[in-house]
Each structure stands twice: as C-alpha cells, then as structure tokens.
Amino acid sequence: MEASGKKPFLMRRDPWGHGMAVWIIALVVLLLPPIYWSLGQIKMHNDVAGWLPRDDPQARILSWYRSSFPTEDRILVSWDDCSISDPRLKLVQEKLEGRLSEDARLEGGSPFISSVSLPSELLRRMLDRNIPFETAIDRINGLLLGPGPLRIRLTDSGRARGQELRSELLAVIKELNHPHARLINAELPLPSTDIPLDNTSAWKLNDLLTNWVNEQPKFDLAATWPHMHADRASVQQIIDALKNLKIGVDGSESVYPHYVEDVFLIQGSQAALTITLSETGMAEREDTLAVIRQACIASGVTESNLRLGGRPVVGAELNRAVGRAGWNRKYELWDFPRRSPVLFSTLISILLSLWMLRSLRLAILVQVAAVLTVLASVAIVPVTGGSMNMVLVVMPTLLAVLTTSAAIHLANYWKHSSARDEQGSVVEAASIAWLPCILASTTTSIGLGSLFVSNLIPVKDFGVYSAVGCIISFFMVLYLLPSLMLYWKQCPPDFAKLNTRHWQTLGQWLTRVRYPVAALCLIGTAACGYGLYKFRTETKVIRYFPEKSRLYQDYVFLEDNLSGIVSVDTIVRFSKETQAAPGRNKDPGRMTFLERARTVMKLQSEIRKHQEISGTLSLASFMDLRESSELNFGQRRARQRIEKTIKDRLREELAEESTTTRAIASLLALPEVETPGEIPNAPPLNAAGDELWRISAQAAILSDVDLQVLTAELDEIAQRHLANVEVRRKGGEKIRIEGVGHVVTGLIPVFLRTQQAVLESLISSFGLAFGLIAIVMMILLRSVRAGLITMLPNLMPVIMVFGLLSWARLRVDIGTMITASVALGIAVDGTLHLITWFQELLKRGRTIPESVSGALEHCGPAMWQTSTVVGLGMLALLPAELLLISRFGWMLAALIFAALVADIVFLPALLAGPLGTLIQRSVLKQQGKEHLYSVSTVGTVNSQPAAVIGPSAEDARPEFNQSVEPS
C-alpha cells in the first residue's frame, strides 16, 4: 500500500491537487456502463456431455461415436393415458412435423422440429420387413412402449358400488406403502381410420393394432404410483391384496361380496413419441418446449398429464431453475426466502452487517464493495467468450462472501485505529490491512485457481473466473472502500465503546487448556475424517432437482412406465476381413450381412436381459432374422433387397430426409478412414473399411445403481459374447470368426467419467491448494514446521464437514465439491489475520500467552462478524429449488462456521503451545535478539532486560490491545 519514505497511496495528490481517491472512484464509475452492457450478454449453457475436455479418453470416444452415428437432441413425450392406439399421437405429430401434401411434401409444422417418431411407425417399418407383429411389439417394448398402469376389472357387484369402491380400492393401495397412488383414465381406444386408401402398409398396421386392442382383456379402473415397475414384488402384493379384497355390506362382518374379478398389466399399453429437434430447436430450447406443450394441449392432452423427458428438457429446466434462484414468480412476495433465495441471502448479509458493524455507513459501504466486485467479476465471463453454467452460477455469492469478509476486517482495523481523525484513521486502516489482505487474497486465489487442474470444464472455469474475482475483490476492499470512506467521512468510535475483553478472556483460557483443546480438535477431526472412506460423488443432473419438482416426477413416470431416459451404446465393430464380399456369401472365416445382423441381435438380446436396461434397438431390430428355411421365395428376395438398400444408402451417403433413412444411418456406419485410439499407443477405434453396428440401450438415470458397475457389466457381456463368434457352414461345420470388437460408450460412460473426474478434481485441486498455501505459510513464518502446523486449523473444517457428509452417506455433487478449495481459502483468511497480529505482538516484547490473548482480542470480533454475516447469508440459499445451489449454500455455511471454530479455538491453542514457540524463535531470530531470551516450556519470556520488555509510551496506553497496529 505504501513504500518506505513515501506517502501512503491514498494521501498522494495529482498535479492538479486532487487526491487518488477521486480517481479511483471515477475509474469505477467509468467502468459501470461497459459492465452493464457485458452483463446483458450473459448466456446459460448446461450440457453434461460437454463437461469433459476434448483430450479426455471418454470424451474422445464420445466424439468418435457422434461422428460415426449422427445423433440429435431428442425429447420423449407421453401422457398418463397415452396408448399405442391413441389418436392424439398422430395429431401431435402433424402439428409439429406438418401434414403431407399431394406432392408428398410436409406443410406446416414447426421450424424447431426435425422429425417426430411414433411407436406405430417403428412397428410399420418392422412389418414392412416381414417381422411378425408380436416380435415387433416385443422389440420396441421398453423404448416407446411400456407396461403402463395396473388394470382392475370389477364384478357386477363392484361396478354397482361406483365411486365408493374406487375410493376403497385406492385406500388399499395407499395402505401398502404407496401413499402417492392414484386412479387414472387408461382406456385403449381403437386406432384412427384416417388413412389414405393407397397406403397398404398403414392399413395393414391399422388392422393388426385393431385386433390387438380387441384381444386385450377388459378393465374398469387403472392405478399407478411412483416407481411401481421398479419393484415387481410390490406390484404382485397389490395384485394379491385387490383380488382378495373383503369389504362388509351394511356393517355385517359375515357377508363379503366379490368386487374385484381380475388385476393385471398389459405389456405395451403405455406409449410415447420421440421428437428430434432441428438446429434451430436445439439453439432455442425454451421456445421449442413451449411449442411442444402447445401442440400436445391443442391435441387434447391436459397439461397436468403431460410428461416430457430428455437432455433438452433438463437443460432448459436447469436454466430456468438457475433464474428462479434470483426471482421465482411462483411464490408470493411475502414468501421472500423462496421468491428470491439469492436476494434473500444478500438481504440477510446486509442486515447482519448493519447489526455487527453498528454503523449504517459501514454496512452500506461494505455491501457496495461486495456488489461491485460481483458485477465486475461476472461481466468478465461473456467478454472472454464464456457462459454461465450450474457451477459458475455460485461464483457471485462466493465473491460477495469473500469481499464482505475482507471489508469487515478493514472496518475493524478502522475502528481500532490509533489515529482518531476522519482521514488518518482510514489511511492507517488501509495501510495495516494491506499485508494480511494481500496474503489472504493470494492464498484464496491459490485455493480457487487450483481448480484449474480439474478435468471438468465448468469446475476449471469456476476456478479461473473466481481467482480473477479475488483480485478484483482486493482492489475494491483496499482501494475503493477506503476512497469511499474518505468521501463519506466519520471518526472512529471511542475505545470505551469497543468491549472486546471477553476475547482476551477466551485467549487466556485457551492458553491454560491448550493441550486438551488441541487434542480434542485433532481427535474430532480424525473421527470425522475416518468417514471419508465412504466418500461418494453424484453427477446426474436430474438429481439436482428436488423429488417433488415437476421435472423429477415426469422422469419417474417415464422411466417407470416406458423407457430409461439415458442411453448406453455398445458399438460392435466387424473388421474388413470378417465381412464377406458381395456375391461370395460363404467365404471361410467371413460373415454375410445377415450373419453379422444375427450376431448383433444375439448380443442385443443379452444386453436387454440386464435388470437396469429397459429396452434396446439396433439395425438388426428392423430385419427379419429368421433362417432361410423358414421363409418362402418372396420373403427371401425381399430381405435381399432390404440388405442391398441399406448398404447402398450408406455408401452413397444419400441426403434423403425420411425418418427411415435416419434410423438406418444412425444405427450402422461404414467409416472410410482410421480413427486413433482414445489414448496414445492404444488400438484404433476403427480401421478403414470396418463396419460399425450400434446397439442403443436405455437405462434409468434415477436408478441408484453404480454407473461403473453397470458399464463394466455391459462391457463384460459384450466381451463374453463377441469373443466366441461362430458361423455355421455346409455340413454343420462351425468356423470361429476373428476381428469382432466392441466399445461401450454413450451418456452413461460419460456420466461415469465425469463422476470420476469430480473425485479427481477434488483431490488434485485441494492437494495443490494445500501445498501452495503451506509454502506461503512457511515463507511467512520462516519455518517449515510452523508452516505445516499452521495448516492443521485450515484442514480441520474441510475434513470434518466432508467426513460428516460421508458418514451420512450423502453424495458430493459438482457444486459441493467446489466448496473444499473455497473453504480452504476462507479458513486461511482468518488464520493470516490472527498470525499477523500474533507476530506483531511478539515483536513488541509480549509473551506468548499475552500475544495469543491480544491477537484474539483484536481479530476475534472481525472473524466472528465475518463468519456470522457470511455463514448465515449462505445459509439463506437453503430454500433454493435447485439443490445444487441449496447444497452449496448450507455446505459452505457449515464450512465457514467450522473454520471459525478452527481459527478462534484450535489455532490459539496451537499458538499457545509448540507452534507459538516456533514462531517466537523465528521472530527473535529475525530481530537478532535470540541470545537475550530463554524460552520456557509454556512459551513465556524469562530473564528479559528491562529495557527490552518495558512498554514504550505507545504501549503504555490503556487501550493498547485495541489500538496496536503492525509496523
């Protein structure tokens, strides 16, 4: 802040006689317009698939997969009473995709929508390839078809009781541990007959669906409840309870009419459609979802029954949830904590600042510095080409916390200043605060900047932007805040009004019981830290939403009744050497196209048997795989034409826009160039001329299954199945085929890799931050041992809070992971202020016990005020709907209060013991007076010459402990 022999920076004047303060304020005012403009350019971007860097092995595999198989964002749409024969499915398709005109062109539709796929269309494609209807239904079950609700058929006596029986049946289901059960309308309507006369295949499907609906058993009621199909034993329990239902008549206990005739499920009765978005739709997700909802409602679907799922839905809802953290119109203004958790947090901080600082002027100036720091830091994001995401959204709150902390320390330095005039007190406070603040800003920046080593892009961005924000915060606190104080002048309060003697008493007590206190802190930290072996991470974005939210409930419905939302794909690779040349279908050691399809279907069937997989799809699903002996001549010729069409379309890369073409092109690829492996020296992912078959499997993202276990099991299934591929030749000879490989990829492996990266980021960034801050401490204290011991109080809050989190078996998400490095930086802030004053008092000849009490008396109020303002302010984020923000708030609040205990209890106990002795020796050595002292085991100074230990005129003041400042 100032150099030797020169005036303090704030006291200097320009050639025109203006002070530096006016230029600092003018600079900030001039920057406000560009900051405001930049804030208007902020965009939200949340995509888990984009979290990993491009050079990450799993990200490279995903990139290869997407380049081989054109994939687009899709949305799964259904409603409570949606069946495969529901005419509203076709109405929604026509409104979104458009109607076919006489010249076979689509007219109308939405520019946000690329295509709409119905389950009936998948069936029709399979039927066109001579696949039996029952087989086709089975192949798409778990994709766009599901088991649906539980059907109940009543007897005549049951129908006569009407609504009364409905309530009694529902009560029975709720009593069996299903309190959210409900009865719904789930009729199976006959398919629409609005079909062109010349569309033979459509009429064929219509007739088959009509027969299928007519063959289903009749029912009167349909019941559903969350997660019903995840527990088959529970469903069977309900079926048995309803079948054996006994209800007395007219209060008689002996007469039990039979009300329920049958209870059953209809496989394939629940249906959904998938919507593929265009480039415009992917860019404008909010508008796209609005168009989809409007089309469904216009088609007769009630909004309360509409269910949407998929990455675009989650991404849009995530953006909305982040926005609702700032202002949520769903809640009344009087319910301000939930109306705006972020503003409520800010309001709490302002009110607490006012109460703690006992000055409206100081409270306002502290918050001005905090708000300007946040605005300037966030404005950097769009200027540098970045975008806000679910992680970076907590940066404003964090920087407000750090700035408020430093500003409160400065305010306390001003209160305790030896200069009692309006100008001198501000300049002196800024001069005193400069060293601890620069050290605190540096160490906090190190803690945040250490996140740059993370493999996760959002975490890396958070670290970089937050570290820059710390630099801005330092400028605001040490330059702007004093400048504002110089223009809004006020003298410091009288020393008599600053009652801090209780802090001195605490310091004296801690000095007496230093060893038990230190031992208790170490034991408590170790006990909590032992729970870290249970440490678990969570990266599923849907888990960031509360279970009562509409999005979460929609996912429960879709995954329970239809299909898993997230995909895991197995890419089967047939090398060029395994493929039989056209016209030479019986080459030894080579496989025909049909044999390769059968190999894929066998693997697909094995994958589908996995309990976490709802359904699977591949190009083989659209092929008739029966043996030639089971087909007539016409069927064999039709199958050959289909095979030739598939290969021709892929090789010629026809730009045909039909859904069939995309279905084929996204399930089979013929790469023309080699793709290197995911890591150096690894086998290539594919060679030129290979044939890649994609098996897409749908898994539930809400499942508690370990993603690593799921991926490993699918990989083991594929490896076991493809290791012994054999083909049969004439005479029954079996030939083993070499050159068949596989890769498991898709969003689930990306989730797994992201989950691992979360843990790696936590360990690497925290370890780096700890190491760098420890080095800073060693340099500051001029002792390796003292530097390491000083880090114990800084480790204590992180180990205790994360250890307790692990003991409670709570998973750490990407938001709470960040708090470790953040908490380390915040804890170091208080440590530096306390040690700085402890060293200064030692330099003035005070004993170690006196120095502990004096440092705690001076720094304790600021640390207490900071922790209260910041901790309770962060705790105010608890009502936020987005659990990512809510967890960040209470986690950081817990860490801040744990850091307070570490700084005002654990650290003083260490300073009163061996740590204080090490620091004292370093101070005395620095002063060149070590030979004049003999240090006792308790750290007191004996046999000092009177000239050395006697107080100076300044030290003799009664208010010494309140007004002493570092030289």
Side-chain angles (χ1 to χ4, degrees):
M1 190 74 180
E2 62 180 302
S4 178
K6 292 184 178 181
K7 285 185 178 182
F9 180 78
L10 292 174
M11 297 290 289
R12 300 176 194 173
R13 301 209 170 255
D14 61 19
W16 301 276
H18 302 119
M20 291 294 103
V22 69
W23 288 108
I24 293 173
I25 296 174
L27 176 63
V28 173
V29 171
L30 288 174
L31 288 175
L32 288 178
I35 288 175
Y36 177 79
W37 173 86
S38 181
L39 291 175
Q41 310 302 312
I42 292 178
K43 295 182 179 179
M44 291 293 300
H45 180 70
N46 292 294
D47 183 8
V48 177
W51 284 4
L52 295 175
R54 293 182 180 179
D55 58 350
D56 184 89
Q58 193 56 243
R60 294 183 65 178
I61 292 177
L62 185 65
S63 176
W64 162 77
Y65 155 73
R66 287 179 168 176
S67 64
S68 300
F69 300 95
T71 56
E72 300 162 304
D73 279 345
R74 289 182 171 86
I75 296 176
L76 187 66
V77 180
S78 184
W79 43 90
D80 290 1
D81 55 343
C82 180
S83 65
I84 189 173
S85 57
D86 194 329
R88 290 173 292 183
L89 288 169
K90 187 65 176 178
L91 291 176
V92 173
Q93 183 188 41
E94 290 178 349
K95 291 182 181 300
L96 294 176
E97 200 177 50
R99 282 178 172 269
L100 281 175
S101 62
E102 295 181 357
D103 56 353
R105 291 185 179 182
L106 287 174
E107 294 181 346
S110 169
F112 302 121
I113 307 303
S114 175
S115 64
V116 179
S117 297
L118 307 182
S120 58
E121 292 180 347
L122 293 181
L123 286 176
R124 182 171 56 81
R125 291 179 215 156
M126 294 179 182
L127 294 174
D128 289 345
R129 290 160 176 76
N130 297 320
I131 299 174
F133 180 79
E134 294 76 12
T135 302
I137 285 282
D138 180 67
R139 287 183 180 180
I140 65 172
N141 199 31
L143 297 172
L144 294 182
L145 294 180
L150 192 66
R151 318 283 171 153
I152 304 171
R153 185 166 66 248
L154 305 177
T155 62
D156 291 338
S157 300
R159 295 187 186 96
R161 293 200 61 177
Q163 183 62 37
E164 182 182 358
L165 181 61
R166 292 171 61 95
S167 301
E168 291 170 346
L169 293 177
L170 187 59
V172 170
I173 299 175
K174 289 184 176 181
E175 288 175 2
L176 293 174
N177 205 24
H178 300 294
H180 301 292
R182 57 197 178 97
L183 298 178
I184 63 172
N185 177 32
E187 296 181 2
L188 292 177
L190 292 173
S192 172
T193 57
D194 184 16
I195 303 173
L197 295 176
D198 57 348
N199 197 327
T200 305
S201 62
W203 274 111
K204 177 183 177 182
L205 173 62
N206 186 275
D207 291 342
L208 290 171
L209 280 178
T210 301
N211 293 335
W212 180 82
V213 171
N214 290 330
E215 291 171 358
Q216 301 308 313
K218 304 300 180 182
F219 59 91
D220 299 277
L221 304 173
T224 184
W225 58 90
H227 307 291
M228 63 179 293
H229 295 295
D231 188 354
R232 297 178 182 177
S234 176
V235 173
Q236 188 59 47
Q237 183 185 19
I238 297 292
I239 292 175
D240 295 338
L242 294 180
K243 284 184 177 180
N244 299 318
L245 183 66
K246 294 181 179 180
I247 304 175
V249 178
D250 299 329
S252 172
E253 296 291 334
S254 59
V255 180
Y256 295 102
H258 189 52
Y259 291 133
V260 178
E261 181 177 344
D262 197 8
V263 185
F264 52 91
L265 295 169
I266 300 179
Q267 293 296 327
S269 58
Q270 188 72 43
L273 56 87
T274 57
I275 300 173
T276 303
L277 306 187
S278 63
E279 292 185 3
T280 304
M282 289 186 284
E284 304 292 339
R285 294 181 180 181
E286 291 283 354
D287 294 339
T288 301
L289 291 176
V291 168
I292 292 174
R293 292 181 185 277
Q294 184 179 358
C296 292
I297 293 173
S299 300
V301 181
T302 60
E303 187 171 6
S304 60
N305 289 339
L306 184 60
R307 312 287 184 173
L308 303 180
R311 274 190 0 181
V313 179
V314 174
E317 183 59 29
L318 192 60
N319 293 343
R320 286 196 294 266
V322 170
R324 287 197 297 267
W327 195 254
N328 192 346
R329 298 182 181 275
K330 184 172 70 174
Y331 298 101
E332 298 295 334
L333 194 58
W334 57 264
D335 192 4
F336 199 66
R338 289 191 290 180
R339 177 74 177 228
S340 178
V342 172
L343 292 180
F344 182 65
S345 173
T346 304
L347 179 62
I348 291 294
S349 298
I350 292 174
L351 294 177
L352 287 173
S353 298
L354 178 61
W355 178 55
M356 290 291 181
L357 295 173
R358 310 283 179 169
S359 169
L360 177 62
R361 166 181 169 269
L362 284 180
I364 292 175
L365 293 181
V366 165
Q367 293 304 319
V368 166
V371 170
L372 289 176
T373 298
V374 170
L375 295 179
S377 302
V378 174
I380 294 176
V381 176
V383 171
T384 55
S387 58
M388 297 296 288
N389 53 58
M390 68 181 74
V391 178
L392 205 56
V393 74
V394 300
M395 181 185 72
T397 305
L398 170 66
L399 292 178
V401 164
L402 296 176
T403 307
T404 301
S405 173
I408 288 177
H409 275 288
L410 178 69
N412 275 273
Y413 287 142
W414 172 77
K415 287 182 178 181
H416 295 89
S417 171
S418 60
R420 312 312 295 167
D421 62 290
E422 295 176 341
Q423 180 171 305
S425 58
V426 174
V427 174
E428 182 180 314
S431 300
I432 296 171
W434 192 87
L435 179 60
C437 283
I438 188 64
L439 290 173
S441 294
T442 301
T443 52
T444 305
S445 295
I446 289 173
L448 293 167
S450 66
L451 295 172
F452 185 76
V453 303
S454 171
N455 287 328
L456 301 179
I457 294 176
V459 176
K460 183 179 295 188
D461 289 346
F462 177 86
V464 172
Y465 287 121
S466 297
V468 173
C470 283
I471 299 173
I472 296 174
S473 174
F474 174 77
F475 171 81
M476 294 294 182
V477 172
L478 267 298
Y479 292 92
L480 178 64
L481 180 57
S483 299
L484 294 173
M485 293 173 71
L486 287 175
Y487 278 89
W488 190 354
K489 297 180 180 180
Q490 184 178 342
C491 288
D494 294 337
F495 286 122
K497 296 181 180 180
L498 301 176
N499 183 16
T500 58
R501 293 298 180 182
H502 54 281
W503 289 101
Q504 188 178 39
T505 303
L506 176 62
Q508 293 168 352
W509 179 79
L510 288 172
T511 301
R512 290 195 301 270
V513 295
R514 56 191 176 279
Y515 291 118
V517 169
L520 185 63
C521 289
L522 287 173
I523 292 172
T525 302
C528 293
Y530 183 71
L532 289 174
Y533 80 93
K534 299 180 180 179
F535 189 83
R536 298 292 184 271
T537 57
E538 177 65 77
T539 57
K540 299 175 181 177
V541 180
I542 190 65
R543 297 283 190 182
Y544 299 159
F545 297 90
E547 293 186 3
K548 293 183 179 180
S549 67
R550 176 62 186 270
L551 177 66
Y552 194 96
Q553 291 301 315
D554 284 357
Y555 264 63
V556 169
F557 177 88
L558 292 172
E559 294 196 338
D560 194 30
N561 292 281
L562 284 158
S563 165
I565 302 296
V566 67
S567 65
V568 53
D569 293 348
T570 302
I571 309 302
V572 180
R573 177 177 58 85
F574 295 98
S575 67
K576 190 175 182 178
E577 291 71 26
T578 64
Q579 304 170 37
R584 301 178 63 186
N585 292 341
K586 299 300 180 182
D587 288 350
R590 294 177 180 265
M591 306 174 70
T592 65
F593 188 80
L594 184 60
E595 288 170 337
R596 299 195 292 275
R598 286 174 179 157
T599 300
V600 171
M601 178 54 75
K602 289 178 181 178
L603 174 57
Q604 178 179 336
S605 300
E606 290 296 318
I607 292 174
R608 188 179 180 184
K609 292 177 183 178
H610 196 286
Q611 61 181 359
E612 294 297 329
I613 301 300
S614 66
T616 57
L617 188 72
S618 73
L619 184 58
S621 302
F622 297 90
M623 296 179 63
D624 185 359
L625 302 178
R626 291 175 291 177
E627 295 291 338
S628 297
S629 58
E630 302 177 30
L631 306 177
N632 56 39
F633 177 78
Q635 291 172 331
R636 290 196 297 269
R637 291 293 298 169
R639 186 164 67 184
Q640 290 173 0
R641 287 195 301 270
I642 292 170
E643 293 176 15
K644 185 177 184 302
T645 300
I646 293 171
K647 300 299 290 286
D648 288 345
R649 285 182 175 175
L650 285 168
R651 286 198 176 97
E652 297 174 9
E653 298 181 351
L654 294 177
E656 196 171 332
E657 291 296 328
S658 69
T659 307
T660 304
T661 302
R662 275 196 301 275
I664 295 173
S666 63
L667 295 173
L668 180 65
L670 299 174
E672 298 181 357
V673 296
E674 180 178 298
T675 303
E678 67 275 15
I679 57 176
N681 301 321
L685 292 171
N686 71 264
D690 286 352
E691 191 175 76
L692 305 178
W693 291 66
R694 172 192 174 197
I695 302 175
S696 182
Q698 299 301 122
I701 197 172
L702 295 178
S703 172
D704 292 328
V705 67
D706 191 323
L707 294 181
Q708 186 171 7
V709 172
L710 175 60
T711 304
E713 288 176 350
L714 295 182
D715 186 70
E716 190 274 333
I717 291 173
Q719 189 172 4
R720 184 181 68 249
H721 181 79
L722 299 177
N724 298 300
V725 177
E726 295 180 335
V727 294
R728 188 182 297 273
R729 294 292 177 250
K730 288 184 178 180
E733 179 186 5
K734 292 184 178 179
I735 299 178
R736 185 172 178 178
I737 303 297
E738 302 289 344
V740 182
H742 78 282
V743 174
V744 178
T745 184
L747 284 183
I748 283 187
V750 170
F751 281 138
L752 173 59
R753 175 63 193 128
T754 306
Q755 183 173 309
Q756 294 169 338
V758 168
L759 185 57
E760 293 170 3
S761 298
L762 177 61
I763 295 173
S764 60
S765 63
F766 186 79
L768 179 60
F770 176 84
L772 293 175
I773 294 175
I775 292 173
V776 172
M777 289 294 186
M778 294 174 193
I779 295 173
L780 177 66
L781 301 177
R782 293 177 172 82
S783 170
V784 174
R785 285 187 297 170
L788 292 175
I789 295 174
T790 305
M791 292 303 295
L792 292 177
N794 300 319
L795 281 176
M796 175 182 164
V798 176
I799 294 176
M800 290 192 73
V801 173
F802 277 88
L804 290 173
L805 203 68
S806 301
W807 275 117
R809 297 186 180 277
L810 297 176
R811 291 179 177 265
V812 175
D813 58 41
I814 196 170
T816 53
M817 182 274 291
I818 292 172
T819 59
S821 295
V822 172
L824 182 60
I826 293 175
V828 169
D829 181 78
T831 300
L832 284 167
H833 282 280
L834 192 68
I835 287 182
T836 300
W837 280 93
F838 178 78
Q839 286 179 305
E840 181 60 31
L841 292 172
L842 287 176
K843 292 176 183 178
R844 292 184 174 275
R846 296 284 171 164
T847 64
I848 287 180
E850 292 171 343
S851 299
V852 170
S853 298
L856 195 58
E857 185 178 3
H858 190 282
C859 298
M863 289 192 292
W864 158 253
Q865 292 167 5
T866 296
S867 298
T868 303
V869 171
V870 170
L872 294 182
M874 295 302 298
L875 203 58
L877 293 174
L878 191 62
E881 284 187 358
L882 191 61
L883 296 182
L884 185 79
I885 298 176
S886 178
R887 290 170 186 161
F888 179 87
W890 68 257
M891 271 288 292
L892 196 51
L895 286 164
I896 287 171
F897 288 124
L900 175 65
V901 174
D903 280 335
I904 67 174
V905 176
F906 191 21
L907 181 58
L910 293 176
L911 289 173
L915 176 60
T917 302
L918 291 172
I919 295 176
Q920 185 186 57
R921 288 175 179 171
S922 175
V923 169
L924 297 178
K925 186 176 181 180
Q926 180 185 1
Q927 293 179 333
K929 301 175 181 178
E930 191 174 18
H931 65 283
L932 299 177
Y933 297 84
S934 60
V935 183
S936 68
T937 56
V938 296
T940 56
V941 181
N942 300 322
S943 306
Q944 290 192 24
V948 177
I949 62 172
S952 64
E954 178 185 1
D955 297 341
R957 295 197 316 256
E959 66 273 15
F960 167 74
N961 285 321
Q962 287 85 13
S963 61
V964 64
E965 71 277 357
S967 56

